[in-house]
Amino acid sequence: MARRVKIGEAKTHLSALLMEVEAGEDLVICRGTTPIAHVTRIAEADEHAALSATLRRERAKQKAVTTPEILSWRHEGHTR
């Protein structure tokens, strides 16, 4: 869950809050109790590439899904 701070606190402690965002914490800036901005760390391009590679490796370990399997899932959980 993102940490919520009011505008005044964000203005006063901006540098410290940005260090927390850099470390991976999400921040929501609020006017009173109303959220007005979401601050999150920008991921590096190499992080995206590494994640994509990991997902491809994990997907390659799984068996292929056939069309009949996909069609059988279409109404799974529905009451007839």
Side-chain angles (χ1 to χ4, degrees):
M1 174 132 177
R3 178 175 169 198
R4 290 176 172 244
V5 297
K6 293 186 178 182
I7 294 172
E9 181 183 352
K11 287 174 26 179
T12 303
H13 303 288
L14 184 61
S15 293
L17 291 170
L18 289 177
M19 286 175 52
E20 292 175 21
V21 168
E22 224 175 0
E25 184 173 345
D26 283 353
L27 181 67
V28 174
I29 300 174
C30 301
R31 178 176 286 124
T33 59
T34 306
I36 59 170
H38 180 213
V39 182
T40 187
R41 185 173 75 83
I42 297 175
E44 299 291 328
D46 58 338
E47 290 179 42
H48 288 294
L51 178 59
S52 293
T54 300
L55 291 173
R56 284 190 190 98
R57 277 194 309 275
E58 292 302 315
R59 179 64 185 114
K61 294 177 186 176
Q62 305 298 316
K63 71 174 190 147
V65 178
T66 64
T67 301
E69 285 178 302
I70 294 170
L71 293 174
S72 73
W73 297 335
R74 186 175 4 177
H75 296 293
E76 189 175 290
H78 293 186
T79 56
R80 294 182 189 213

